[in-house]
Amino acid sequence: MTIKDIANLANVSHATVSRVLNNSPNVKEETRQRVMKIIDQMGFSPRMSARALNSGKNYNIGLLILYDIFKSQFPTDFLPGILSGLTRELNKAGYMLSLFLDEAADGGGMEAVDALLNRNLDGVIILGLETNTRLAYRISRIHLPILLVNHRFDDLPISSIMADDVQGAYVATKHLLDIGHRRIAFMEGDPRYYTGRARKEGYLLAMRETGVEPDPAILCVGMYDEGCAYEATLSLVNSGARFSAMFASNDIMALGILNALARLQLRVPEDVSLVGFDDTQFAMLIKPPLTTIKKPRTHLGMEAAGMILSMVEGEKEAEVRHVLLKTSLIERASTCPPR
Amino acid sequence: MTIKDIANLANVSHATVSRVLNNSPNVKEETRQRVMKIIDQMGFSPRMSARALNSGKNYNIGLLILYDIFKSQFPTDFLPGILSGLTRELNKAGYMLSLFLDEAADGGGMEAVDALLNRNLDGVIILGLETNTRLAYRISRIHLPILLVNHRFDDLPISSIMADDVQGAYVATKHLLDIGHRRIAFMEGDPRYYTGRARKEGYLLAMRETGVEPDPAILCVGMYDEGCAYEATLSLVNSGARFSAMFASNDIMALGILNALARLQLRVPEDVSLVGFDDTQFAMLIKPPLTTIKKPRTHLGMEAAGMILSMVEGEKEAEVRHVLLKTSLIERASTCPPR
DNA sequence: AGAAAGAATGTACACGTTCACATTCACTAT
DNA sequence: ATAGTGAATGTGAACGTGTACATTCTTTCT
């Protein structure tokens, strides 16, 4: 079933059918109706490959997901949200989103990029690229619209979009400060990752801005790991350091902290207020429900879709843009003013 | 840059270049080398759309995700695993996976199917289709290879693959029986969903097989909801019913049960053993770490990829198959023999 | 009524591959 | 030497669509 078959059935030329399919203005209403009817009856839909061949456009955006995403440092429930936003907007604009995965992660990843390039996509969104500068360099040489999600290279001309981790940590800390806390302990994530460094920065910023010099004695490192945070909390308390609140760089560590405090017979929030980060699924389910920072997920996906579309459809080389999205504080029951 | 440009540079015809690209045996080694070299130098990769137009194959599999997946009854961390398995296998076979989302869920979903059909895919995998029989009927009329993941219609000729919920619940219950429990309470999920019914069936099966007649007094319904399970547990205990163990149809309800038992000063596992279902991210993080049932996620994706590929590449109409994958018991610290 | 203008439709080619078929080449057997 | 053979390469059509240009039809204006 092709455009020509439809043409024959409707007693018009295939060009007219093409015009009907593309909403060309110069088609008599009567003809349009007749052609449309036959198209519907036959259940015809034009071959995309032929269109693509002719136009050079594939209406297909690649999403390269780097392996780390399936590791714990990356909240697994981040993915559905961003996919939702991406596909929703892309489909709306007539595009598809095609998935590519890199399991090899650091050092590797080259094969995944090659696979991408062989697929004749219109643009590429890259999710989860972090420390692999060799891969980043390779990527920067692709002459295809590229958008980085959740990471950013200042020295490479690649547009990016990410949630503002610094602002998120700032807001979390500010919340604790606002309700009266001054001795706020901080559980750092993994400083090798951007988010780990950024969240610490936000914490420090809020503290200093309020005139509270952060006390190194109540700064811990939990490496984004529950067990690690658990142990760190035990030693923090046993060291005798005083603090009335704690800010954890992610919810998983917050859970570790919660477990440790329970073991030490300290109540949350009465004895210690606790704020997490990420709004992981379980944050609202545990006791007490965790106050935390939520990154916009669906919204991030939608914005990313908009950016890559404007790059793909823009006539000329678009300028490099770096977009930061605001995060929001989700107030639950793990925080209260200090005694 | 096309196959012809390469041909000119290599002083051969475009057909020879095509032969080199497709590893045709009838090319002199010397010529192959020369052509390959130029292809590499130029960074040429053949236009997929032209290939597709010619061959009728797109090397593209659609994944239709129905909205429910982003709702709580579906563990969000299921998605990354299955995507991983799917893309890994499909990419290996030279295929892409393209995402389509249906936000409208029940009743709607038709637009998503239409979008799919307009994309000229080679096959479609559908994830999360449940009660929407109208949509199911529509789908069954697509004459394209189709595979259902996580659901199955017995009266429609559509192949399916899913993890064996009945077996999972059976194993969970059997575990409790094996370590000596007899009074095992059951927290049902949502009976409107297949998994809800299947997990109950597995529980009943294991009980009866062991010669223990299930006591209606210790059967609750938690609708896959934490708060609901919390309340149900409170009333169960307050009703005075005796039980030494509890099996919850998912981890989220297990968490609700845990919270309720803690409030009632009942210890897990000393006073009540608890088994969940799904191996959600937090299962290993909470105190005590939850014994639960894990569905194969990546493996499910890989199997699904294999199935759709054999349907797509098989010469003739393949027969309808229904595949069930075994689940496995993850033993942690929320279970112990009764006193 | 006839010409001019513009709307509607048709014709034919291009897009970049693959593939059937035709041709040439290198080598062997007579 | 020469026909015969199979390997290596070339030629040209086909895949299904969009579109520039050509043609026809319709309307309007004088």
Side-chain angles (χ1 to χ4, degrees):
Chain A
M1 178 65 50
T2 79
I3 215 179
K4 281 186 185 168
D5 300 320
I6 303 292
N8 288 336
L9 293 171
N11 282 322
V12 291
S13 73
H14 75 273
T16 298
V17 178
S18 175
R19 278 186 271 258
V20 170
L21 284 170
N22 294 286
N23 297 314
S24 163
N26 291 342
V27 178
K28 212 200 299 181
E29 188 52 30
E30 181 208 315
T31 320
R32 157 168 283 123
Q33 302 268 334
R34 180 156 40 101
V35 173
M36 279 297 231
K37 192 173 168 190
I38 295 182
I39 289 177
D40 284 350
Q41 277 177 359
M42 297 282 119
F44 167 80
S45 72
R47 217 75 78 244
M48 292 307 280
S49 44
R51 286 191 161 172
L53 175 59
N54 196 287
S55 65
K57 294 208 50 174
N58 295 81
Y59 294 96
N60 198 342
I61 302 291
L63 176 64
L64 174 59
I65 303 185
L66 297 175
Y67 182 73
D68 314 46
I69 290 222
F70 295 93
K71 295 293 190 189
S72 58
Q73 125 278 3
F74 201 91
T76 52
D77 37 359
F78 188 81
L79 196 60
I82 197 168
L83 285 180
S84 167
L86 273 176
T87 57
R88 192 187 307 172
E89 288 304 300
L90 288 179
N91 284 353
K92 204 181 289 176
Y95 283 73
M96 283 189 296
L97 182 73
S98 295
L99 250 52
F100 294 84
L101 231 62
D102 170 27
E103 312 268 358
D106 304 309
M110 294 301 181
E111 320 80 46
V113 176
D114 288 340
L116 266 180
L117 292 179
N118 288 335
R119 281 348 205 87
N120 302 116
L121 303 160
D122 299 319
V124 181
I125 298 174
I126 301 178
L127 191 53
L129 180 58
E130 271 274 353
T131 50
N132 191 337
T133 48
R134 188 157 144 261
L135 188 58
Y137 178 70
R138 171 88 171 82
I139 284 168
S140 72
R141 299 194 35 135
I142 302 173
H143 61 289
L144 211 62
I146 292 195
L147 177 63
L148 241 45
V149 174
N150 267 0
H151 194 63
R152 155 180 183 172
F153 289 105
D154 289 307
D155 45 348
L156 291 177
I158 312 180
S159 288
S160 73
I161 181 170
M162 56 198 295
D164 194 338
D165 284 280
V166 176
Q167 176 259 353
Y170 175 89
V171 167
T173 312
K174 202 71 174 46
H175 170 63
L176 290 170
L177 289 162
D178 284 349
I179 59 178
H181 294 277
R182 285 300 173 271
R183 299 283 304 167
I184 304 174
F186 176 68
M187 182 67 73
E188 188 176 356
D190 186 336
R192 285 173 304 178
Y193 292 111
Y194 171 77
T195 58
R197 300 188 296 271
R199 291 171 191 189
K200 183 171 189 178
E201 188 184 329
Y203 162 77
L204 295 175
L205 193 66
M207 295 290 276
R208 295 199 171 118
E209 205 182 280
T210 317
V212 185
E213 187 53 28
D215 179 358
I218 53 176
L219 299 187
C220 321
V221 180
M223 298 304 282
Y224 283 143
D225 179 75
E226 192 260 356
C228 211
Y230 182 88
E231 296 300 335
T233 307
L234 291 185
S235 28
L236 177 67
V237 173
N238 289 335
S239 78
R242 289 181 313 104
F243 59 95
S244 64
M246 202 152 177
F247 168 44
S249 285
N250 74 354
D251 289 349
I252 291 182
M253 294 194 301
L255 193 51
I257 293 170
L258 216 51
N259 290 333
L261 293 177
R263 159 125 182 242
L264 293 165
Q265 314 269 22
L266 290 169
R267 290 162 304 162
V268 175
E270 294 83 354
D271 300 319
V272 177
S273 281
L274 180 62
V275 179
F277 203 115
D278 284 339
D279 194 28
T280 310
Q281 182 190 31
F282 60 75
M284 63 158 57
L285 303 177
I286 56 180
K287 296 290 174 196
L290 188 65
T291 294
T292 187
I293 298 293
K294 183 190 182 77
K295 285 190 176 188
R297 292 169 196 165
T298 308
H299 184 227
L300 180 62
M302 291 171 65
E303 287 293 325
M307 283 178 76
I308 196 79
L309 283 177
S310 76
M311 293 166 76
V312 167
E313 307 210 312
E315 314 74 35
K316 34 183 59 197
E317 204 70 24
E319 54 181 320
V320 173
R321 291 199 308 150
H322 295 290
V323 173
L324 273 185
L325 258 39
K326 288 267 173 292
T327 65
S328 49
L329 177 74
I330 309 287
E331 268 192 81
R332 297 210 179 89
S334 66
T335 48
C336 72
R339 281 169 309 190
Chain B
M1 177 66 48
T2 80
I3 217 178
K4 280 186 186 167
D5 299 320
I6 302 293
N8 288 336
L9 293 172
N11 282 320
V12 291
S13 74
H14 69 274
T16 299
V17 178
S18 175
R19 277 186 271 257
V20 170
L21 285 170
N22 294 286
N23 296 314
S24 162
N26 291 340
V27 178
K28 212 202 296 183
E29 188 51 31
E30 182 208 317
T31 319
R32 158 169 282 123
Q33 301 268 336
R34 181 157 38 104
V35 172
M36 279 297 232
K37 192 173 167 190
I38 294 182
I39 289 176
D40 283 350
Q41 276 176 1
M42 297 284 117
F44 166 81
S45 74
R47 219 73 78 243
M48 293 305 281
S49 45
R51 285 189 164 173
L53 174 59
N54 201 285
S55 65
K57 293 208 49 173
N58 294 81
Y59 294 95
N60 198 342
I61 303 292
L63 176 65
L64 174 59
I65 302 184
L66 297 175
Y67 183 73
D68 314 46
I69 292 222
F70 295 93
K71 294 293 190 191
S72 58
Q73 127 278 1
F74 200 92
T76 52
D77 37 359
F78 189 81
L79 195 60
I82 198 169
L83 286 181
S84 167
L86 273 176
T87 57
R88 191 188 307 173
E89 287 304 301
L90 288 179
N91 284 353
K92 203 182 289 177
Y95 283 73
M96 282 189 297
L97 182 74
S98 293
L99 251 51
F100 294 84
L101 231 61
D102 170 27
E103 312 268 357
D106 305 308
M110 294 301 181
E111 321 80 46
V113 176
D114 289 340
L116 265 180
L117 292 180
N118 287 334
R119 280 350 204 85
N120 303 116
L121 303 161
D122 300 318
V124 181
I125 297 174
I126 301 179
L127 191 53
L129 180 59
E130 272 275 352
T131 51
N132 191 337
T133 49
R134 186 157 145 262
L135 188 57
Y137 179 71
R138 171 89 171 82
I139 284 168
S140 72
R141 299 194 33 133
I142 301 173
H143 62 290
L144 210 62
I146 292 196
L147 176 63
L148 240 47
V149 173
N150 267 0
H151 194 63
R152 153 180 186 172
F153 289 106
D154 290 307
D155 46 348
L156 291 178
I158 312 180
S159 288
S160 73
I161 181 169
M162 55 197 298
D164 193 338
D165 284 278
V166 177
Q167 177 257 353
Y170 176 88
V171 168
T173 312
K174 201 71 173 45
H175 170 63
L176 290 169
L177 289 163
D178 284 347
I179 58 178
H181 293 277
R182 285 298 174 273
R183 301 282 304 165
I184 304 174
F186 176 68
M187 183 66 72
E188 189 177 356
D190 187 337
R192 286 173 304 177
Y193 292 111
Y194 171 76
T195 58
R197 301 188 296 273
R199 291 172 191 187
K200 183 172 189 178
E201 189 184 328
Y203 162 78
L204 295 176
L205 194 65
M207 294 291 275
R208 292 192 175 126
E209 206 182 278
T210 316
V212 184
E213 188 52 29
D215 179 358
I218 53 177
L219 298 186
C220 322
V221 180
M223 298 305 282
Y224 282 143
D225 179 75
E226 192 260 356
C228 212
Y230 181 89
E231 296 300 336
T233 306
L234 291 186
S235 27
L236 178 67
V237 172
N238 290 334
S239 78
R242 289 181 313 103
F243 59 95
S244 64
M246 203 152 179
F247 169 44
S249 286
N250 74 354
D251 289 349
I252 290 182
M253 293 194 301
L255 193 50
I257 293 170
L258 215 50
N259 290 333
L261 293 177
R263 161 129 177 236
L264 293 165
Q265 314 269 19
L266 289 168
R267 290 162 304 164
V268 175
E270 294 82 354
D271 300 319
V272 178
S273 282
L274 181 62
V275 179
F277 203 116
D278 285 338
D279 193 29
T280 311
Q281 182 190 30
F282 60 76
M284 64 157 56
L285 303 177
I286 57 180
K287 295 292 171 189
L290 188 65
T291 293
T292 188
I293 299 293
K294 183 189 181 76
K295 286 191 176 189
R297 291 169 197 165
T298 308
H299 185 227
L300 180 63
M302 291 172 63
E303 288 293 325
M307 284 178 76
I308 196 78
L309 283 177
S310 76
M311 294 165 77
V312 167
E313 307 211 311
E315 314 74 35
K316 34 183 61 198
E317 204 70 23
E319 54 181 320
V320 173
R321 292 199 307 150
H322 294 291
V323 174
L324 274 184
L325 258 37
K326 289 266 172 293
T327 65
S328 48
L329 176 74
I330 308 287
E331 267 192 81
R332 296 210 180 90
S334 66
T335 49
C336 71
R339 281 170 307 189

